mmCIF file of all heavy atoms in Angstrom:
data_model
loop_
_atom_site.group_PDB
_atom_site.id
_atom_site.type_symbol
_atom_site.label_atom_id
_atom_site.label_comp_id
_atom_site.label_asym_id
_atom_site.label_seq_id
_atom_site.Cartn_x
_atom_site.Cartn_y
_atom_site.Cartn_z
ATOM 1 N N ILE A 853 161.006 180.322 191.718
ATOM 2 C CA ILE A 853 161.008 180.108 190.250
ATOM 3 C C ILE A 853 159.592 179.762 189.788
ATOM 4 O O ILE A 853 159.082 180.296 188.825
ATOM 5 C CB ILE A 853 161.946 178.967 189.842
ATOM 6 C CG1 ILE A 853 163.406 179.387 190.141
ATOM 7 C CG2 ILE A 853 161.821 178.625 188.376
ATOM 8 C CD1 ILE A 853 164.431 178.300 189.943
ATOM 9 N N MET A 854 158.939 178.876 190.548
ATOM 10 C CA MET A 854 157.578 178.441 190.155
ATOM 11 C C MET A 854 156.600 179.583 190.234
ATOM 12 O O MET A 854 155.722 179.704 189.365
ATOM 13 C CB MET A 854 157.126 177.276 191.006
ATOM 14 C CG MET A 854 157.776 175.957 190.583
ATOM 15 S SD MET A 854 157.456 174.645 191.745
ATOM 16 C CE MET A 854 155.685 174.494 191.609
ATOM 17 N N SER A 855 156.696 180.420 191.228
ATOM 18 C CA SER A 855 155.720 181.499 191.315
ATOM 19 C C SER A 855 156.028 182.600 190.296
ATOM 20 O O SER A 855 155.084 183.267 189.839
ATOM 21 C CB SER A 855 155.560 182.039 192.730
ATOM 22 O OG SER A 855 156.812 182.120 193.354
ATOM 23 N N ASN A 856 157.274 182.810 189.963
ATOM 24 C CA ASN A 856 157.576 183.823 188.949
ATOM 25 C C ASN A 856 157.352 183.304 187.519
ATOM 26 O O ASN A 856 157.076 184.061 186.610
ATOM 27 C CB ASN A 856 159.022 184.299 189.061
ATOM 28 C CG ASN A 856 159.171 185.257 190.219
ATOM 29 O OD1 ASN A 856 158.252 186.007 190.539
ATOM 30 N ND2 ASN A 856 160.331 185.255 190.846
ATOM 31 N N ASP A 857 157.529 182.008 187.367
ATOM 32 C CA ASP A 857 157.309 181.346 186.083
ATOM 33 C C ASP A 857 157.972 182.093 184.907
ATOM 34 O O ASP A 857 159.173 182.251 184.920
ATOM 35 C CB ASP A 857 155.802 181.198 185.845
ATOM 36 C CG ASP A 857 155.458 180.107 184.867
ATOM 37 O OD1 ASP A 857 156.414 179.543 184.307
ATOM 38 O OD2 ASP A 857 154.275 179.820 184.656
ATOM 39 N N LYS A 858 157.192 182.572 183.985
ATOM 40 C CA LYS A 858 157.752 183.181 182.780
ATOM 41 C C LYS A 858 158.603 184.401 183.070
ATOM 42 O O LYS A 858 159.422 184.804 182.247
ATOM 43 C CB LYS A 858 156.605 183.591 181.833
ATOM 44 C CG LYS A 858 155.972 182.423 181.113
ATOM 45 C CD LYS A 858 155.108 182.944 179.963
ATOM 46 C CE LYS A 858 154.672 181.840 179.029
ATOM 47 N NZ LYS A 858 153.713 180.900 179.671
ATOM 48 N N SER A 859 158.409 185.016 184.214
ATOM 49 C CA SER A 859 159.171 186.240 184.465
ATOM 50 C C SER A 859 160.401 185.946 185.361
ATOM 51 O O SER A 859 161.112 186.875 185.732
ATOM 52 C CB SER A 859 158.293 187.307 185.101
ATOM 53 O OG SER A 859 157.714 186.804 186.305
ATOM 54 N N TYR A 860 160.652 184.679 185.643
ATOM 55 C CA TYR A 860 161.874 184.381 186.406
ATOM 56 C C TYR A 860 163.090 184.740 185.556
ATOM 57 O O TYR A 860 163.238 184.218 184.470
ATOM 58 C CB TYR A 860 161.931 182.932 186.830
ATOM 59 C CG TYR A 860 163.235 182.572 187.497
ATOM 60 C CD1 TYR A 860 163.659 183.206 188.664
ATOM 61 C CD2 TYR A 860 164.055 181.557 186.988
ATOM 62 C CE1 TYR A 860 164.862 182.891 189.282
ATOM 63 C CE2 TYR A 860 165.262 181.230 187.585
ATOM 64 C CZ TYR A 860 165.656 181.909 188.739
ATOM 65 O OH TYR A 860 166.867 181.581 189.313
ATOM 66 N N GLY A 861 163.914 185.621 186.078
ATOM 67 C CA GLY A 861 165.102 186.034 185.330
ATOM 68 C C GLY A 861 164.941 187.391 184.693
ATOM 69 O O GLY A 861 165.909 187.997 184.247
ATOM 70 N N GLU A 862 163.715 187.896 184.659
ATOM 71 C CA GLU A 862 163.482 189.230 184.106
ATOM 72 C C GLU A 862 164.248 190.264 184.900
ATOM 73 O O GLU A 862 164.482 190.104 186.107
ATOM 74 C CB GLU A 862 161.999 189.565 184.184
ATOM 75 C CG GLU A 862 161.276 189.501 182.885
ATOM 76 C CD GLU A 862 159.811 189.873 183.021
ATOM 77 O OE1 GLU A 862 159.418 190.460 184.073
ATOM 78 O OE2 GLU A 862 159.067 189.537 182.126
ATOM 79 N N ASP A 863 164.606 191.338 184.230
ATOM 80 C CA ASP A 863 165.373 192.367 184.891
ATOM 81 C C ASP A 863 164.872 193.716 184.431
ATOM 82 O O ASP A 863 164.187 193.834 183.418
ATOM 83 C CB ASP A 863 166.867 192.200 184.550
ATOM 84 C CG ASP A 863 167.765 192.730 185.667
ATOM 85 O OD1 ASP A 863 167.740 193.966 185.856
ATOM 86 O OD2 ASP A 863 168.448 191.945 186.319
ATOM 87 N N ARG A 864 165.225 194.750 185.137
ATOM 88 C CA ARG A 864 164.757 196.094 184.756
ATOM 89 C C ARG A 864 165.894 197.033 184.424
ATOM 90 O O ARG A 864 165.702 198.237 184.371
ATOM 91 C CB ARG A 864 163.943 196.699 185.905
ATOM 92 C CG ARG A 864 162.800 195.832 186.352
ATOM 93 C CD ARG A 864 161.471 196.579 186.284
ATOM 94 N NE ARG A 864 160.367 195.630 186.382
ATOM 95 C CZ ARG A 864 159.758 195.315 187.521
ATOM 96 N NH1 ARG A 864 160.120 195.917 188.628
ATOM 97 N NH2 ARG A 864 158.779 194.430 187.531
ATOM 98 N N PHE A 865 167.086 196.501 184.250
ATOM 99 C CA PHE A 865 168.180 197.469 184.130
ATOM 100 C C PHE A 865 168.119 198.285 182.849
ATOM 101 O O PHE A 865 168.757 199.294 182.742
ATOM 102 C CB PHE A 865 169.550 196.824 184.374
ATOM 103 C CG PHE A 865 170.140 196.077 183.204
ATOM 104 C CD1 PHE A 865 170.787 196.774 182.179
ATOM 105 C CD2 PHE A 865 170.123 194.714 183.173
ATOM 106 C CE1 PHE A 865 171.349 196.109 181.109
ATOM 107 C CE2 PHE A 865 170.684 194.013 182.117
ATOM 108 C CZ PHE A 865 171.307 194.695 181.087
ATOM 109 N N GLY A 866 167.282 197.866 181.919
ATOM 110 C CA GLY A 866 167.088 198.665 180.718
ATOM 111 C C GLY A 866 166.292 199.943 180.970
ATOM 112 O O GLY A 866 166.374 200.915 180.244
ATOM 113 N N ARG A 867 165.581 199.950 182.104
ATOM 114 C CA ARG A 867 164.844 201.126 182.543
ATOM 115 C C ARG A 867 163.998 201.760 181.451
ATOM 116 O O ARG A 867 163.885 202.984 181.362
ATOM 117 C CB ARG A 867 165.788 202.189 183.126
ATOM 118 C CG ARG A 867 166.582 201.696 184.344
ATOM 119 C CD ARG A 867 167.169 202.880 185.119
ATOM 120 N NE ARG A 867 167.825 203.843 184.262
ATOM 121 C CZ ARG A 867 169.105 203.773 183.896
ATOM 122 N NH1 ARG A 867 169.868 202.774 184.319
ATOM 123 N NH2 ARG A 867 169.623 204.705 183.126
ATOM 124 N N GLY A 868 163.433 200.940 180.597
ATOM 125 C CA GLY A 868 162.530 201.459 179.581
ATOM 126 C C GLY A 868 163.188 202.259 178.487
ATOM 127 O O GLY A 868 162.540 202.890 177.677
ATOM 128 N N ARG A 869 164.527 202.289 178.456
ATOM 129 C CA ARG A 869 165.212 203.066 177.411
ATOM 130 C C ARG A 869 164.909 202.510 176.045
ATOM 131 O O ARG A 869 164.751 201.310 175.843
ATOM 132 C CB ARG A 869 166.712 203.091 177.673
ATOM 133 C CG ARG A 869 167.107 204.153 178.680
ATOM 134 C CD ARG A 869 168.592 204.070 178.970
ATOM 135 N NE ARG A 869 168.865 202.851 179.704
ATOM 136 C CZ ARG A 869 170.106 202.406 179.895
ATOM 137 N NH1 ARG A 869 171.144 203.091 179.436
ATOM 138 N NH2 ARG A 869 170.307 201.295 180.577
ATOM 139 N N LYS A 870 164.836 203.374 175.067
ATOM 140 C CA LYS A 870 164.471 202.991 173.721
ATOM 141 C C LYS A 870 165.666 202.527 172.908
ATOM 142 O O LYS A 870 166.657 203.248 172.802
ATOM 143 C CB LYS A 870 163.779 204.154 172.990
ATOM 144 C CG LYS A 870 162.413 204.474 173.546
ATOM 145 C CD LYS A 870 161.837 205.720 172.910
ATOM 146 C CE LYS A 870 161.533 205.538 171.441
ATOM 147 N NZ LYS A 870 161.157 206.830 170.786
ATOM 148 N N VAL A 871 165.542 201.343 172.346
ATOM 149 C CA VAL A 871 166.612 200.787 171.538
ATOM 150 C C VAL A 871 166.179 200.658 170.101
ATOM 151 O O VAL A 871 165.093 200.124 169.850
ATOM 152 C CB VAL A 871 167.024 199.388 172.063
ATOM 153 C CG1 VAL A 871 168.152 198.818 171.202
ATOM 154 C CG2 VAL A 871 167.413 199.445 173.518
ATOM 155 N N ASN A 872 166.991 201.127 169.178
ATOM 156 C CA ASN A 872 166.764 200.845 167.778
ATOM 157 C C ASN A 872 167.752 199.770 167.368
ATOM 158 O O ASN A 872 168.955 199.947 167.442
ATOM 159 C CB ASN A 872 166.955 202.071 166.917
ATOM 160 C CG ASN A 872 166.709 201.773 165.432
ATOM 161 O OD1 ASN A 872 167.551 201.169 164.772
ATOM 162 N ND2 ASN A 872 165.564 202.224 164.964
ATOM 163 N N LEU A 873 167.194 198.639 166.946
ATOM 164 C CA LEU A 873 168.030 197.497 166.558
ATOM 165 C C LEU A 873 167.835 197.214 165.081
ATOM 166 O O LEU A 873 166.783 196.764 164.685
ATOM 167 C CB LEU A 873 167.658 196.305 167.421
ATOM 168 C CG LEU A 873 168.514 195.033 167.316
ATOM 169 C CD1 LEU A 873 169.940 195.307 167.634
ATOM 170 C CD2 LEU A 873 167.967 193.991 168.259
ATOM 171 N N GLU A 874 168.840 197.569 164.296
ATOM 172 C CA GLU A 874 168.697 197.359 162.869
ATOM 173 C C GLU A 874 169.419 196.104 162.430
ATOM 174 O O GLU A 874 170.598 195.894 162.738
ATOM 175 C CB GLU A 874 169.292 198.538 162.070
ATOM 176 C CG GLU A 874 169.053 198.411 160.577
ATOM 177 C CD GLU A 874 170.101 199.132 159.740
ATOM 178 O OE1 GLU A 874 170.709 200.087 160.228
ATOM 179 O OE2 GLU A 874 170.322 198.681 158.594
ATOM 180 N N PHE A 875 168.713 195.218 161.755
ATOM 181 C CA PHE A 875 169.389 194.024 161.241
ATOM 182 C C PHE A 875 168.707 193.483 160.006
ATOM 183 O O PHE A 875 167.663 193.984 159.595
ATOM 184 C CB PHE A 875 169.520 192.944 162.329
ATOM 185 C CG PHE A 875 168.222 192.486 162.975
ATOM 186 C CD1 PHE A 875 167.692 191.239 162.685
ATOM 187 C CD2 PHE A 875 167.563 193.307 163.870
ATOM 188 C CE1 PHE A 875 166.528 190.780 163.270
ATOM 189 C CE2 PHE A 875 166.387 192.866 164.482
ATOM 190 C CZ PHE A 875 165.881 191.596 164.174
ATOM 191 N N VAL A 876 169.326 192.505 159.395
ATOM 192 C CA VAL A 876 168.999 191.922 158.097
ATOM 193 C C VAL A 876 169.198 193.009 156.997
ATOM 194 O O VAL A 876 170.242 192.999 156.350
ATOM 195 C CB VAL A 876 167.565 191.360 157.997
ATOM 196 C CG1 VAL A 876 167.453 190.579 156.692
ATOM 197 C CG2 VAL A 876 167.265 190.443 159.158
ATOM 198 N N SER A 877 168.230 193.898 156.808
ATOM 199 C CA SER A 877 168.379 194.962 155.821
ATOM 200 C C SER A 877 168.927 194.466 154.478
ATOM 201 O O SER A 877 169.736 195.155 153.833
ATOM 202 C CB SER A 877 169.265 196.116 156.357
ATOM 203 O OG SER A 877 168.672 196.693 157.475
ATOM 204 N N ALA A 878 168.487 193.284 154.093
ATOM 205 C CA ALA A 878 168.954 192.739 152.813
ATOM 206 C C ALA A 878 168.288 193.524 151.664
ATOM 207 O O ALA A 878 167.170 193.987 151.794
ATOM 208 C CB ALA A 878 168.571 191.264 152.689
ATOM 209 N N ASN A 879 168.996 193.680 150.563
ATOM 210 C CA ASN A 879 168.413 194.366 149.419
ATOM 211 C C ASN A 879 167.139 193.650 148.983
ATOM 212 O O ASN A 879 167.118 192.427 148.902
ATOM 213 C CB ASN A 879 169.410 194.351 148.230
ATOM 214 C CG ASN A 879 170.476 195.390 148.432
ATOM 215 O OD1 ASN A 879 170.308 196.341 149.180
ATOM 216 N ND2 ASN A 879 171.597 195.213 147.761
ATOM 217 N N PRO A 880 166.122 194.432 148.655
ATOM 218 C CA PRO A 880 164.827 193.834 148.275
ATOM 219 C C PRO A 880 164.843 193.368 146.826
ATOM 220 O O PRO A 880 163.877 193.583 146.109
ATOM 221 C CB PRO A 880 163.849 194.992 148.487
ATOM 222 C CG PRO A 880 164.663 196.221 148.251
ATOM 223 C CD PRO A 880 166.068 195.899 148.672
ATOM 224 N N THR A 881 165.911 192.703 146.435
ATOM 225 C CA THR A 881 165.990 192.280 145.049
ATOM 226 C C THR A 881 165.937 190.759 144.921
ATOM 227 O O THR A 881 166.129 190.225 143.833
ATOM 228 C CB THR A 881 167.307 192.772 144.415
ATOM 229 O OG1 THR A 881 168.398 192.333 145.249
ATOM 230 C CG2 THR A 881 167.358 194.269 144.355
ATOM 231 N N GLY A 882 165.735 190.088 146.043
ATOM 232 C CA GLY A 882 165.653 188.631 146.008
ATOM 233 C C GLY A 882 165.292 188.097 147.350
ATOM 234 O O GLY A 882 165.265 188.848 148.343
ATOM 235 N N PRO A 883 164.982 186.815 147.430
ATOM 236 C CA PRO A 883 164.644 186.202 148.707
ATOM 237 C C PRO A 883 165.859 186.149 149.613
ATOM 238 O O PRO A 883 166.993 186.343 149.138
ATOM 239 C CB PRO A 883 164.190 184.794 148.346
ATOM 240 C CG PRO A 883 164.382 184.633 146.883
ATOM 241 C CD PRO A 883 165.017 185.849 146.338
ATOM 242 N N LEU A 884 165.675 185.883 150.853
ATOM 243 C CA LEU A 884 166.805 185.763 151.793
ATOM 244 C C LEU A 884 167.525 184.456 151.550
ATOM 245 O O LEU A 884 166.915 183.437 151.239
ATOM 246 C CB LEU A 884 166.308 185.794 153.235
ATOM 247 C CG LEU A 884 165.625 187.086 153.704
ATOM 248 C CD1 LEU A 884 165.282 187.014 155.175
ATOM 249 C CD2 LEU A 884 166.498 188.291 153.413
ATOM 250 N N HIS A 885 168.846 184.511 151.671
ATOM 251 C CA HIS A 885 169.615 183.262 151.525
ATOM 252 C C HIS A 885 170.402 183.054 152.797
ATOM 253 O O HIS A 885 170.331 183.844 153.775
ATOM 254 C CB HIS A 885 170.512 183.318 150.311
ATOM 255 C CG HIS A 885 171.432 184.496 150.231
ATOM 256 N ND1 HIS A 885 172.518 184.618 151.089
ATOM 257 C CD2 HIS A 885 171.384 185.627 149.497
ATOM 258 C CE1 HIS A 885 173.113 185.778 150.828
ATOM 259 N NE2 HIS A 885 172.463 186.395 149.888
ATOM 260 N N LEU A 886 171.194 181.991 152.803
ATOM 261 C CA LEU A 886 171.857 181.580 154.019
ATOM 262 C C LEU A 886 172.764 182.665 154.589
ATOM 263 O O LEU A 886 172.959 182.773 155.792
ATOM 264 C CB LEU A 886 172.669 180.301 153.780
ATOM 265 C CG LEU A 886 173.034 179.562 155.060
ATOM 266 C CD1 LEU A 886 171.795 179.076 155.776
ATOM 267 C CD2 LEU A 886 173.959 178.420 154.800
ATOM 268 N N GLY A 887 173.323 183.466 153.721
ATOM 269 C CA GLY A 887 174.216 184.548 154.163
ATOM 270 C C GLY A 887 173.504 185.529 155.081
ATOM 271 O O GLY A 887 174.145 186.207 155.888
ATOM 272 N N HIS A 888 172.198 185.637 154.976
ATOM 273 C CA HIS A 888 171.461 186.592 155.812
ATOM 274 C C HIS A 888 171.054 186.011 157.157
ATOM 275 O O HIS A 888 170.699 186.747 158.065
ATOM 276 C CB HIS A 888 170.187 187.021 155.080
ATOM 277 C CG HIS A 888 170.420 187.741 153.775
ATOM 278 N ND1 HIS A 888 169.922 187.267 152.575
ATOM 279 C CD2 HIS A 888 171.112 188.858 153.482
ATOM 280 C CE1 HIS A 888 170.285 188.107 151.610
ATOM 281 N NE2 HIS A 888 171.018 189.070 152.148
ATOM 282 N N VAL A 889 171.102 184.707 157.257
ATOM 283 C CA VAL A 889 170.458 184.063 158.407
ATOM 284 C C VAL A 889 171.112 184.413 159.751
ATOM 285 O O VAL A 889 170.444 184.700 160.716
ATOM 286 C CB VAL A 889 170.440 182.528 158.248
ATOM 287 C CG1 VAL A 889 169.739 181.900 159.425
ATOM 288 C CG2 VAL A 889 169.767 182.143 156.998
ATOM 289 N N ARG A 890 172.413 184.429 159.742
ATOM 290 C CA ARG A 890 173.091 184.611 161.030
ATOM 291 C C ARG A 890 172.756 185.963 161.632
ATOM 292 O O ARG A 890 172.412 186.040 162.822
ATOM 293 C CB ARG A 890 174.614 184.480 160.849
ATOM 294 C CG ARG A 890 175.335 184.369 162.146
ATOM 295 C CD ARG A 890 176.782 184.016 161.964
ATOM 296 N NE ARG A 890 177.405 183.787 163.255
ATOM 297 C CZ ARG A 890 178.679 183.579 163.421
ATOM 298 N NH1 ARG A 890 179.504 183.571 162.389
ATOM 299 N NH2 ARG A 890 179.185 183.379 164.633
ATOM 300 N N GLY A 891 172.882 187.017 160.846
ATOM 301 C CA GLY A 891 172.556 188.351 161.358
ATOM 302 C C GLY A 891 171.097 188.440 161.767
ATOM 303 O O GLY A 891 170.761 189.054 162.793
ATOM 304 N N ALA A 892 170.223 187.748 161.029
ATOM 305 C CA ALA A 892 168.801 187.810 161.297
ATOM 306 C C ALA A 892 168.504 187.156 162.658
ATOM 307 O O ALA A 892 167.809 187.697 163.506
ATOM 308 C CB ALA A 892 168.026 187.093 160.207
#
Side-chain angles (χ1 to χ4, degrees):
Chain A
I853 295 173
M854 283 170 63
S855 40
N856 283 329
D857 202 355
K858 285 193 168 68
S859 58
Y860 174 58
E862 255 181 16
D863 207 294
R864 304 236 166 95
F865 81 79
R867 299 197 313 272
R869 277 176 292 169
K870 290 174 67 187
V871 180
N872 180 285
L873 186 58
E874 184 208 334
F875 58 107
V876 191
S877 298
N879 282 340
T881 54
L884 297 184
H885 55 72
L886 198 64
H888 297 121
V889 181
R890 193 172 185 185

